[in-house]
Structure formats: structure tokens, C-alpha cells
Amino acid sequence: MDHFLYRNGILHAEDVALPDIAAQVGTPVYVYSRATLTRHFRLFDQALAGMDHLVCYAMKAASNQALLAVLAREGAGMDVVSGGEYARARAAGVPGERIVFSGVGKTESEMRMALMGGIRQFNVESEPEMALLNAVALSLGVVAPITIRVNPDVDAKTHAKIATGKSENKFGIPIARARQVYAEAARLRGLDVVGIDVHIGSQLTDLAPFRMAYRKVAELTETLRADGHNIRRLDLGGGLGIPYTRGNEPPPLPVDWGQVIRDEVGHLGCQIEIEPGRLIVGNAGLLLSQVIYIKEGEGRHFLILDAAMNDLIRPAMYDAHHDIVPVVESGLGTPEVPMDVVGPVCESGDTFARGRMLPPMASGDLVAFRSAGAYGAVMASEYNSRPLVPEVLVDGDQFAVIRARPTFDEMINRDTIPGWV
Ligand code: LLP
């Protein structure tokens, strides 16, 4: 459920009419609903009620300071994957003890930054990383709390580019080698092994792979405890999918996922962490765009928008589907026509949808890409020198620009021409 609804035929974000935002901020622009964001965070928090737990929002999904601040006030932790994300989380008011550090390629300076600034745990993904983290911690005279990410070799049944839990993926340590690696970790004085971490992929719409992975983690917990390790925390990753196409059967809910967690690892008495990203912010954001032209091709109609692949890359990169809706509803019974929805960028890949059924539209009309809050703005670029797409946050009847569109000068002045040119 989200808070983007039609009122008198005009799409609103909470109580704000989207054309008002377009008029004041221009298009393309990302628009987020605070009520939807907090609602989705709370669904996860409630799904684990009664268990000792922390919901660590995977901020790679959307990392604007305002969004992080909203979630921080809800008590969210953060899952970060870079020094930049760590800095953003801290700047938005998230304390170090609520930040977990994931990622296959943590650098020495990132480790140093988190160890000095405060960190709940590192999710270690390889033996060389473990050795380096140990050395950095010892050099600082501190002990680094860690989990080790295991790769359970489970097929998450999602798009190949976002599946992470099969043995051929670069993530984690093969679960078969886990005992050996934990034994090695226990010998390192700069590390405190607190638990196990697993994440098998993103946009999962079936709970079975989660269940399979968590069952393996539960078995491993018992084995490692028998080996003498004090396993007291399980980070179970993120990955629950969202409904991208209205009308299709919706994916399982956070409460259903929570039940799987209770079933599979509830008896172990561990503290539980989860790292949802997409489901917290995905349906809390949309991309608002304006029609530039309607172009009649050879047997095809092209809807040319002012948004492009640089603003929302998911369709080009993952063949992702986003519902595209007119901001002003057309009258009941208006016949729809198949349109190829495209942006102005000079590549055929700059196509959002082919043969999408849409009511007749004209230049100047507004459209919205639904479910664009996650992996939308954060993956945007300035390709074709299109200034970075701005972001707006709505709360009830008020809205604020939370990242302004750079002017051409601001965009250009980030470059420098060396004196010797
Ligand atoms: N934890 C780890 C270690 C992850 O790698 C990810 C996502 C998450 C949590 C959050 O997963 P979520 O709950 O958002 O599914 N750009 C792609 C998605 C990449 C996901 C990468 N890792 C897309 O637009 O679909």
C-alpha cells in the first residue's frame, strides 16, 4: 500500500497534487511519500516484534539525507556498503552502534573510518578481508565485531544480475568452508566473532529460497556453537520483493517473511538483524516526468519523455517493469493505445517500455513511473549532460526539495581545465 492516489482525477502524493510539484520544481523529479516510507519500515519492525531485533535499512536503495533522517527517527539501523554510505548514515543522525558494514571490497580506509566512528559489526566476506580488518583493528587498539557472510548456494529465483546466494556469485564464503574460516577468525585478536550473515538476492517473490538459506544458517549456528563459537547474532539480509505490476499477484508480506525467520531461527535465541532496502522505499517513491513529443513511427507510437535512462536505469539494466500512469486520469472508457515509452538519450536502450497500453496523451502531459523509490535516484547519472535528477519529499500537505537540480553551471564547474591545456 502506498500514499499515491488519484483525487478528482489527479494523482497526488499524500495531500499534494503532483502537477504542483512539477510546476515548482520542474521535471523529471523523484517524489517520495514520508507516510509510505515510515509505514513500510514499521511493517518490518512489527514483523519481528517480540524478538530481539534491529531493522538495518539497506541504504543503497535510496540514500538521500532526508529519507535517512526519517528512518533514523523511527529507530532504524543502516546497512552500508561504502565509506560514503557510512558518512551519510552518520550525517543523518544514525549512531555507529546501529550501522552494519556489508560489501565484498571494503578498503583499509573504510575499515578505519568505521572502527574510529563506531560500528555495530562488519559483515566479512572473505579471508583476505578478515586478515586486513584484524590488522587495522590491532593497529588502532580496538576489537572489530564481525559476522562472516556465508554463501548458502541457494537459487533465489530472481534476475541474474541481482542474485547473490549461488556458489558462482562473488559474495560470501562457501558455507562448506565456514567452520574452517570461523576457526581462523577466532584466532585473530583484533576480531570478535558475534554471528553469521547471509543475503541471497534482491526482488525475491517466493519465500522458499529464504527458508532454505535460513535453515542452513540455523544448522551452521548449532555446528559453530558446538565448535565453541559464541554465535549470538544473525544478520539475515534483505531481498523481499515488491509488487511492480499492479493487478499481478502480490509478493509475500514482511509479516510472512518474519514468520519464516521465526520458524527457522527463532529457537536459537540469537539477536536478529535484517537488511531490507527495496520494500522500505520502493513504493514510497515515484518518478514524475513530462511528455515532450508524441512521434508516429513505422507502425509504432513513441511517447518521448523528459526522463531518460540516466534518471531511471532499471528498465535498461534489468529489463525491469515500472507501471507508467498518466497524472491526470482520462475519462472512463477512453480507449488505450500501445506506446513505446522512451527518453531523449541517444541510445536505443533508452526505452522504458514497449507497446505499453496508455490513454492518448499530448505534449506537456505528466506521467509517473510507480515503484521507483528504490534503486532509482541513487543509480541516476548525468549521462548526456542531463543534470542530476532532483528529489522531493512529501509529508501530508507540505513538500520540500531534498536534493535540488544542479544548474548547468554547477554541473560544468565540477570539472577543471588544467592550466596546461
Ligand atoms: N543486503 C545486502 C548485502 C545487499 O546486497 C542488498 C542488495 C540488500 C541487503 C538489500 O536488498 P533489497 O531488500 O533492496 O532487495 N539495483 C538493483 C538491486 C540491487 C540489490 C543489491 N543488493 C535493482 O535495481 O533491482
Side-chain angles (χ1 to χ4, degrees), residues 132-252:
L132 179 61
L133 182 58
N134 178 58
V136 175
L138 289 177
S139 77
L140 294 172
V142 297
V143 173
I146 68 158
T147 70
I148 295 175
R149 179 168 174 182
V150 293
N151 184 325
D153 195 19
V154 164
D155 183 357
K157 299 199 170 61
T158 184
H159 191 282
K161 282 188 184 148
I162 52 176
T164 56
K166 282 292 283 172
S167 54
E168 68 259 30
N169 302 131
K170 68 181 176 183
F171 302 97
I173 283 166
I175 198 160
R177 283 225 337 273
R179 281 181 84 182
Q180 188 189 324
V181 179
Y182 272 86
E184 171 61 17
R187 278 193 288 275
L188 301 175
R189 285 178 303 110
L191 305 181
D192 176 22
V193 181
V194 301
I196 307 174
D197 171 44
V198 70
H199 171 80
I200 57 173
S202 193
Q203 186 55 18
L204 274 68
T205 52
D206 179 4
L207 291 175
F210 286 117
R211 194 178 283 285
M212 229 180 300
Y214 298 162
R215 191 163 296 176
K216 290 187 178 193
V217 167
E219 280 167 22
L220 181 63
T221 304
E222 315 255 19
T223 309
L224 293 176
R225 281 179 172 171
D227 286 349
H229 300 283
N230 180 11
I231 302 298
R232 51 199 186 273
R233 189 182 286 171
L234 300 178
D235 182 333
L236 300 174
L240 194 60
I242 63 171
Y244 276 107
T245 311
R246 257 141 228 267
N248 281 9
E249 196 194 329

Side-chain angles (χ1 to χ4, degrees), residues 77-413:
M78 297 285 154
D79 169 40
V80 309
V81 292
S82 68
E85 285 196 350
Y86 180 86
R88 275 186 179 275
R90 294 307 308 268
V94 183
E97 65 264 26
R98 278 202 254 138
I99 301 177
V100 301
F101 207 134
S102 300
V104 289
K106 301 175 198 81
T107 63
E108 181 171 346
S109 68
E110 288 173 330
M111 291 173 179
R112 203 172 287 280
M113 174 182 191
L115 282 172
M116 294 197 320
I119 190 81
R120 182 180 187 82
Q121 94 223 5
F122 292 88
N123 295 329
V124 170
E125 298 225 15
S126 68
E127 286 144 295
E129 180 193 339
M130 198 165 86
L132 179 61
L133 182 58
N134 178 58
V136 175
L138 289 177
S139 77
L140 294 172
V142 297
V143 173
I146 68 158
T147 70
I148 295 175
R149 179 168 174 182
V150 293
N151 184 325
D153 195 19
V154 164
D155 183 357
K157 299 199 170 61
T158 184
H159 191 282
K161 282 188 184 148
I162 52 176
T164 56
K166 282 292 283 172
S167 54
E168 68 259 30
N169 302 131
K170 68 181 176 183
F171 302 97
I173 283 166
I175 198 160
R177 283 225 337 273
R179 281 181 84 182
Q180 188 189 324
V181 179
Y182 272 86
E184 171 61 17
R187 278 193 288 275
L188 301 175
R189 285 178 303 110
L191 305 181
D192 176 22
V193 181
V194 301
I196 307 174
D197 171 44
V198 70
H199 171 80
I200 57 173
S202 193
Q203 186 55 18
L204 274 68
T205 52
D206 179 4
L207 291 175
F210 286 117
R211 194 178 283 285
M212 229 180 300
Y214 298 162
R215 191 163 296 176
K216 290 187 178 193
V217 167
E219 280 167 22
L220 181 63
T221 304
E222 315 255 19
T223 309
L224 293 176
R225 281 179 172 171
D227 286 349
H229 300 283
N230 180 11
I231 302 298
R232 51 199 186 273
R233 189 182 286 171
L234 300 178
D235 182 333
L236 300 174
L240 194 60
I242 63 171
Y244 276 107
T245 311
R246 257 141 228 267
N248 281 9
E249 196 194 329
L253 302 172
V255 67
D256 305 319
W257 190 38
Q259 191 56 49
V260 171
I261 292 174
R262 284 172 207 277
D263 292 349
E264 300 301 331
V265 303
H267 60 289
L268 296 166
C270 285
Q271 185 176 57
I272 302 299
E273 292 163 356
I274 52 171
E275 303 170 349
R278 190 190 307 267
L279 208 150
I280 289 182
V281 72
N283 286 336
L286 52 73
L287 175 61
L288 184 59
S289 175
Q290 193 172 38
V291 177
I292 309 178
Y293 299 116
I294 315 275
K295 173 169 162 173
E296 298 303 329
E298 197 75 62
R300 303 193 79 86
H301 314 287
F302 294 101
L303 189 66
I304 303 176
L305 302 181
D306 66 359
M309 64 191 290
N310 70 296
D311 305 305
L312 177 65
I313 202 168
R314 301 193 67 259
M317 192 147 172
Y318 315 106
D319 303 312
H321 172 101
H322 286 267
D323 280 350
I324 302 167
V325 295
V327 167
V328 178
E329 253 177 339
S330 40
L332 223 65
T334 312
E336 298 190 326
V337 282
M339 304 286 272
D340 285 5
V341 185
V342 302
V345 160
C346 307
E347 307 196 17
S348 301
D350 186 23
T351 298
F352 293 114
R354 283 181 215 286
R356 185 69 66 86
M357 297 306 288
L358 288 167
M361 268 188 271
S363 14
D365 285 355
L366 294 170
V367 297
F369 290 80
R370 287 193 182 267
S371 311
Y375 308 109
V378 282
M379 294 182 81
S381 74
E382 292 188 334
Y383 186 39
N384 278 213
S385 287
R386 297 165 44 82
L388 198 60
V389 58
E391 296 174 283
V392 161
L393 180 62
V394 173
D395 182 5
D397 61 2
Q398 58 180 339
F399 72 89
V401 175
I402 56 174
R403 187 176 70 201
R405 190 190 316 277
T407 62
F408 288 147
D409 278 345
E410 283 164 345
M411 179 174 71
I412 295 164
N413 290 338

Side-chain angles (χ1 to χ4, degrees), residues 4-22:
F4 297 104
L5 297 171
Y6 287 94
R7 286 193 199 162
N8 302 321
I10 296 172
L11 191 58
H12 280 61
E14 303 190 18
D15 300 329
V16 177
L18 290 177
D20 292 349
I21 296 178

